[in-house]
Amino acid sequence: MQAIILAAGMGKRLGELTQGDTKCMVKVNGIPLIDRTLTQLSKLALSRVIIVIGYKGENLKNYVGNEYKGLKIEYINNPVYDTTNNIYSLSLAKEELQKEDTLLIESDLIFDDALFPMIVNDPYPNLALVAKYETWMDGTMVCIDADCNIVNFVPKQAFRYEDVDVYYKTVNIYKFSREFSSNEYVPFLDAYSKVMGNNEYYEQVLRVLTLLHSSTLKALPISDEKWYEIDDIQDLDIASTIFSSDETKYKEYHKRYGGFWRFPKLLDYCYLVNPYFPPKRMRDELRANFDTLLTEYPSGMYVNSLLAGKYFGIRQEYVVVGNGAAELIKVVMEEHTGDKVGVIYPTFDEYPNRLRPEQIVAYIPQNTNFVYTADDLMDFYADRSISLLLLINPDNPSGNFIPKKDVLRLASWCEDRKIRLIVDESFVDFTIGYADNSLLHNDILQKFPTMMVMKSISKSYGVPGLRLGVFASSDTALIARIKKEVSIWNINSFGEFYLQIYGKYEKDYAKACQKFIAEREKFYRELTQIPYLHVIPSQANYFLCEVIDRFSSAELTQKLIEHDVIISNCGLKSNMNGRNLIRLAIRSREDNSKLVNILKDL
């Protein structure tokens, strides 16, 4: 068996990275793609490797040479690489293709070591490695039947998003027997090129064979094996993360602060959302209006504050809408640049990160579970000078919850002392009895004019991609100032439309919250069976856990990322006193069961 690598292309979309070298010389985590591929090939029993070169081909020849880790290397030059496509590169190798069984490989791939043995050791002589369609995939797709026969090749121009459930993406690694090349592929390659020219893709020939029902080529679906095709700098960035070393993988994922939809196999236990809302019908309504929402301008702050007031049942002049709560946190905290601020640790760091260290008057509960009450806060801050007190309720990451009646006592205490109080209730809808726990009521806001309420819509309503949050207070002068600080078009049409239609789905939301509370109880019971975890009870959609045996929090975080699970290492947070703490989001039953099984296996 031999291997043919197609490496003639210019790789223009990689910009300056390919100005001096061919695409397969681009490095992923310090290793050129061609080195990785040839190293993987060197573990097979191959007679030779033929590389079809073109753009910067001499550079590649000089780099690789005629031998690589015991592999014999030969070259075929495509002198018109800039006016042809890979069908011509392969046609230049058609004589060699007919001499031996062949592995055909494109040079812009990175993949697990398991893929070559998988295709070589499979008894079928003619195979295409394929992967179930995921959103990042681009290029030629195939449809296969129950016996893995390829029933159709689907080129880019024939791709239909409504058919993605049946699509498989070609990995661009093929195994052709000598007989297949001689009797099927090469004759049709010659005919196709003669009629259609050389600016085509070699898969088009396979498509013709399939349409004529004369092909013996089968699909070999991969499962959890990793691979990526690198066409541009975004692809390179993603591939570098997927194929990062075990030691750096957590850092590579974590530095993104989201966007994990680019990694469909990653199980995200770091970011916090409601797994049971919005319902399908609401998603369908958003989809049905997609074209209009995409092509029309959103409204300004006047309309959006009206919608938010309707959403929560409060007056329009009491509320400002933000591009996520994070935008509002920044603006609100900038109102207090010279003040002393009471901060309860551990906390959501977005708040104290907006303050100078000398502004912070920290309260740290002195107990294992970070439990505290309104009375604890009033006792602690009674003889400390602060102008603002921050209360996240339920707290993040501990999940500690102060009942509403006690929060109102705290608000009254703050009013008497002229201390402004921010209550972030982003997670309050996950609490038991949540329907009566919110402070977003006109009478409450009016009674406590120095109290401010922050709420992220992303968390409990399950729509983090829409970036919605609200800030409310009966201090209308404050609300007016904040409205001036944010852009008039600070949320998009999708977020605005979501606010508009939510009222139709309030009963679905109530059911989702109750379903979530039941899942939290079940997940808690399961986690408490993990012998190396101490699980802190929570009224939010996450559990803060102390790793008490076998691992440090960093080690457990590392172990889980090796299983494509990302969690939050809260041992890195401020004022943790060296405790090994992690935070686990609460997701669906299927996901939670998967995580529990991984933790048990560890």
Side-chain angles (χ1 to χ4, degrees):
M1 177 174 282
Q2 63 184 358
I4 295 177
I5 301 175
L6 302 180
M10 298 178 69
K12 288 182 179 180
R13 284 185 283 171
L14 281 161
E16 60 185 28
L17 293 176
T18 51
Q19 286 181 0
D21 277 312
T22 186
K23 190 196 289 191
C24 65
M25 292 284 286
V26 169
K27 295 179 179 179
V28 178
N29 299 324
I31 302 174
L33 287 171
I34 191 65
D35 283 86
R36 187 180 179 99
T37 300
L38 291 175
T39 297
Q40 291 167 321
L41 288 172
S42 71
K43 299 172 184 177
L44 306 175
L46 300 178
S47 61
R48 60 177 177 168
V49 174
I50 301 167
I51 306 178
V52 183
I53 58 175
Y55 173 71
K56 301 294 181 182
E58 286 301 314
N59 289 4
L60 184 59
K61 284 181 66 175
N62 293 334
Y63 178 75
V64 174
N66 297 318
E67 186 271 338
Y68 189 97
K69 294 187 177 181
L71 289 173
K72 180 182 178 184
I73 309 294
E74 299 177 10
Y75 300 90
I76 294 175
N77 185 51
N78 176 358
V80 287
Y81 59 83
D82 55 341
T83 59
T84 60
N85 220 313
N86 63 15
I87 195 171
Y88 184 66
S89 290
L90 188 55
S91 70
L92 293 173
K94 66 183 179 181
E95 298 301 326
E96 309 305 319
L97 194 62
Q98 298 174 80
K99 292 179 179 178
E100 293 186 63
D101 297 346
T102 302
L103 282 178
L104 177 61
I105 310 148
E106 294 191 23
S107 66
D108 57 358
L109 301 173
I110 183 169
F111 45 88
D112 280 345
D113 292 345
L115 292 195
F116 278 152
M118 180 187 301
I119 193 170
V120 169
N121 296 331
D122 191 281
Y124 281 104
N126 306 304
L127 288 168
L129 281 182
V130 299
K132 198 74 179 72
Y133 172 79
E134 294 176 354
T135 54
W136 64 267
M137 297 174 179
D138 189 26
T140 302
M141 306 288 162
V142 297
C143 300
I144 65 177
D145 64 17
D147 296 321
C148 289
N149 296 303
I150 299 176
V151 297
N152 191 17
F153 275 81
V154 183
K156 288 179 70 170
Q157 60 269 28
F159 183 97
R160 288 161 43 95
Y161 280 99
E162 54 266 43
D163 294 333
V164 294
D165 288 344
V166 299
Y167 283 161
Y168 287 79
K169 170 72 178 75
T170 55
V171 180
N172 299 331
I173 299 175
Y174 296 87
K175 181 174 72 172
F176 294 166
S177 68
R178 183 176 62 83
E179 292 75 18
F180 175 82
S181 297
S182 300
N183 301 330
E184 297 184 50
Y185 189 78
V186 170
F188 277 90
L189 174 67
D190 287 338
Y192 190 92
S193 298
K194 186 174 182 179
V195 174
M196 302 301 295
N198 293 318
N199 197 20
E200 294 280 336
Y201 295 95
Y202 65 82
E203 293 99 337
Q204 288 294 91
V205 179
L206 297 172
R207 186 182 188 218
V208 171
L209 287 169
T210 302
L211 292 173
L212 294 174
H213 306 290
S214 62
S215 175
T216 58
L217 185 69
K218 281 184 174 281
L220 178 58
I222 64 175
S223 53
D224 293 329
E225 293 80 15
K226 296 192 291 290
W227 73 284
Y228 218 83
E229 184 177 6
I230 300 173
D231 288 324
D232 55 34
I233 57 172
Q234 177 72 43
D235 293 335
L236 179 60
D237 175 67
I238 293 170
S240 297
T241 300
I242 293 174
F243 288 90
S244 56
S245 67
D246 290 341
E247 292 73 24
T248 62
K249 185 173 290 187
Y250 179 78
K251 181 180 179 182
E252 289 295 316
Y253 279 116
H254 198 66
K255 72 181 184 182
R256 297 170 174 274
Y257 293 97
F260 292 156
W261 47 265
R262 293 186 176 89
F263 308 95
K265 291 183 173 62
L266 185 69
L267 196 55
D268 176 14
Y269 270 83
C270 190
Y271 288 91
L272 312 168
V273 295
N274 188 337
Y276 301 115
F277 194 83
K280 181 180 182 300
R281 185 172 178 82
M282 189 180 199
R283 297 169 195 248
D284 289 342
E285 185 169 358
L286 284 162
R287 289 189 194 99
N289 289 274
F290 179 89
D291 290 347
T292 299
L293 298 174
L294 181 68
T295 57
E296 298 285 347
Y297 268 91
S299 303
M301 182 58 71
Y302 171 81
V303 171
N304 290 327
S305 58
L306 181 68
L307 289 171
K310 182 185 78 166
Y311 193 107
F312 292 107
I314 57 178
R315 294 173 60 178
Q316 177 185 10
E317 59 267 33
Y318 287 177
V319 64
V320 55
V321 182
N323 181 14
E327 178 188 38
L328 299 172
I329 290 170
K330 177 180 183 296
V331 176
V332 170
M333 297 311 286
E334 286 174 352
E335 286 264 324
H336 300 277
T337 54
D339 296 338
K340 291 285 188 179
V341 181
V343 179
I344 306 156
Y345 284 94
T347 191
F348 179 46
D349 289 333
E350 191 66 19
Y351 285 97
N353 285 349
R354 298 293 174 183
L355 301 170
R356 299 186 310 278
E358 61 270 20
Q359 287 183 261
I360 297 172
V361 182
Y363 171 75
I364 306 171
Q366 300 300 307
N367 57 74
T368 301
N369 288 353
F370 299 101
V371 173
Y372 58 90
T373 66
D375 290 314
D376 292 330
L377 298 180
M378 289 185 282
D379 288 344
F380 181 81
Y381 287 107
D383 57 355
R384 288 171 172 83
S385 177
I386 58 172
S387 301
L388 175 68
L389 177 60
L390 168 65
L391 174 66
I392 299 176
N393 196 43
D395 208 343
N396 180 8
S398 72
N400 183 77
F401 179 62
I402 298 177
K404 178 178 176 179
K405 61 181 179 60
D406 292 329
V407 174
L408 296 179
R409 283 198 301 113
L410 179 64
S412 179
W413 182 86
C414 288
E415 286 279 342
D416 292 342
R417 286 156 180 77
K418 296 182 171 51
I419 298 171
R420 304 214 69 159
L421 173 65
I422 294 181
V423 181
D424 187 321
E425 59 170 52
S426 294
F427 304 101
V428 77
D429 292 353
F430 297 116
T431 60
I432 296 172
Y434 77 92
D436 297 318
N437 289 337
S438 175
L439 303 176
L440 289 173
H441 298 281
N442 285 325
D443 56 343
I444 293 176
L445 295 174
Q446 290 161 0
K447 184 176 180 180
F448 303 104
T450 61
M451 183 180 72
M452 303 162 279
V453 180
M454 187 79 72
K455 188 175 182 69
S456 165
I457 292 176
S458 301
K459 309 294 192 300
S460 54
Y461 295 91
V463 288
L466 295 182
R467 303 304 308 133
L468 289 170
V470 295
F471 176 78
S473 171
S474 63
D475 183 345
T476 55
L478 171 64
I479 296 295
R481 285 200 307 274
I482 293 175
K483 286 180 178 179
K484 288 183 178 180
E485 287 296 321
V486 299
S487 167
I488 187 174
W489 286 304
N490 67 329
I491 70 170
N492 59 42
S493 294
F494 295 95
E496 178 185 343
F497 186 70
Y498 166 84
L499 289 174
Q500 179 173 310
I501 66 174
Y502 166 75
K504 294 187 283 185
Y505 301 95
E506 283 188 284
K507 290 182 179 178
D508 297 283
Y509 183 63
K511 292 177 182 176
C513 290
Q514 294 194 6
K515 187 176 181 181
F516 172 85
I517 290 170
E519 175 57 31
R520 180 175 62 202
E521 295 294 323
K522 187 168 187 177
F523 192 35
Y524 176 78
R525 290 194 299 271
E526 292 173 334
L527 287 175
T528 56
Q529 300 304 306
I530 307 299
Y532 52 85
L533 291 183
H534 167 65
V535 187
I536 296 174
S538 172
Q539 285 281 294
N541 64 334
Y542 44 82
F543 287 112
L544 185 65
C545 305
E546 186 163 12
V547 188
I548 56 176
D549 192 22
R550 299 199 60 195
F551 310 107
S552 67
S553 56
E555 288 169 342
L556 183 56
T557 301
Q558 182 63 40
K559 290 284 185 183
L560 289 174
I561 201 67
E562 292 168 17
H563 288 79
D564 290 322
V565 177
I566 187 167
I567 65 172
S568 180
N569 179 8
C570 291
L572 302 175
K573 280 181 167 286
S574 302
N575 296 304
M576 291 296 93
N577 299 321
R579 291 176 64 181
N580 287 299
L581 295 161
I582 60 169
R583 189 190 65 195
L584 302 176
I586 300 167
R587 293 173 58 96
S588 67
R589 175 85 306 252
E590 179 184 0
D591 288 347
N592 292 338
S593 295
K594 182 176 180 180
L595 176 60
V596 167
N597 287 333
I598 292 172
L599 291 169
K600 286 180 178 178
D601 289 342
L602 290 179

